[in-house]
Amino acid sequence: MHAETAGNLLFEAGYEAEFIAKVKFLIRKKQLKTDLETQTLEDVVCLVFLENYLEEFTAKHDEEKVRDILKKNLG
């Protein structure tokens, strides 16, 4: 859904099809772990979560859930 929304917005703003396809590819996390740009975007998302949302998340969830999320973000 996010990839399609971004694609539509980029199209309406006049971006070229090749650029739109790349953005959609990245948002869909295609080839995560093997594509450098996809992995970089995922790393940024994880860092933003850790810096801006972790504290609120830990207040709302049990320790096991927090541990699972941290493992996914740091792994």
Side-chain angles (χ1 to χ4, degrees):
M1 177 191 84
H2 294 109
E4 290 306 314
T5 300
N8 291 336
L9 291 170
L10 291 169
F11 178 78
E12 290 172 14
Y15 284 87
E16 301 208 6
E18 185 178 332
F19 180 80
I20 295 169
K22 182 63 177 186
V23 170
K24 290 168 73 172
F25 174 88
L26 293 171
I27 292 172
R28 289 183 178 130
K29 300 181 183 182
K30 296 290 185 177
Q31 299 176 7
L32 187 61
K33 305 285 184 197
T34 60
D35 180 80
L36 181 61
E37 289 180 308
T38 303
Q39 185 60 55
T40 300
L41 179 59
E42 182 66 9
D43 292 347
V44 168
V45 169
C46 290
L47 290 171
V48 168
F49 170 77
L50 292 171
E51 186 173 312
N52 297 293
Y53 302 102
L54 180 61
E55 188 174 344
E56 182 180 339
F57 184 85
T58 57
K60 294 180 180 180
H61 296 88
D62 62 50
E63 188 177 323
E64 184 176 331
K65 176 88 173 178
V66 172
R67 200 172 313 141
D68 183 53
I69 292 295
L70 286 174
K71 206 164 31 170
K72 289 177 183 174
N73 273 276
L74 299 173

